[in-house]
Amino acid sequence: MKENLRRIGTWARRQGEHFDLYLHALPQRTRLTLIFAILALLSVTLLFICGSIYRIGRNDGFNARRIDTTREFTPPSPETGPRCR
């Protein structure tokens, strides 16, 4: 198990190094554009998530309160109940 975790950690470090080399090879203007594009994508995603949460929280149970739960249920008597044949 420890050997697998060590291998995963080594692989992750190598991937990070490859990504750093790739980013440093880009011009600075391209890097800034890429960073701003990622931030814009995350912002739009966050807006959709917050909007969904707001829509869920906005339903304050108004429809549930309209259901009449105060009347008592009387079970049907054997004479008027459903007939089983």
Side-chain angles (χ1 to χ4, degrees):
M1 183 69 166
K2 289 183 181 181
E3 179 66 25
N4 289 337
L5 290 175
R6 188 184 60 74
R7 275 195 241 164
I8 291 171
T10 305
W11 178 83
R13 275 190 298 279
R14 271 191 271 133
Q15 296 305 314
E17 291 169 4
H18 289 299
F19 187 67
D20 282 344
L21 289 174
Y22 175 72
L23 280 180
H24 288 297
L26 293 173
Q28 185 173 359
R29 186 174 178 100
T30 307
R31 278 187 277 177
L32 285 174
T33 306
L34 184 64
I35 289 170
F36 285 133
I38 291 171
L39 286 175
L41 181 68
L42 290 174
S43 299
V44 169
T45 305
L46 184 63
L47 282 174
F48 277 111
I49 290 171
C50 290
S52 299
I53 292 172
Y54 174 74
R55 264 187 268 126
I56 290 171
R58 192 175 62 180
N59 183 10
D60 60 351
F62 177 73
N63 292 333
R65 280 186 271 145
R66 287 180 38 196
I67 299 173
D68 186 18
T69 57
T70 58
R71 66 176 184 203
E72 291 186 28
F73 175 73
T74 55
S77 63
E79 295 86 29
T80 61
R83 296 180 183 164
C84 297
R85 292 180 188 204

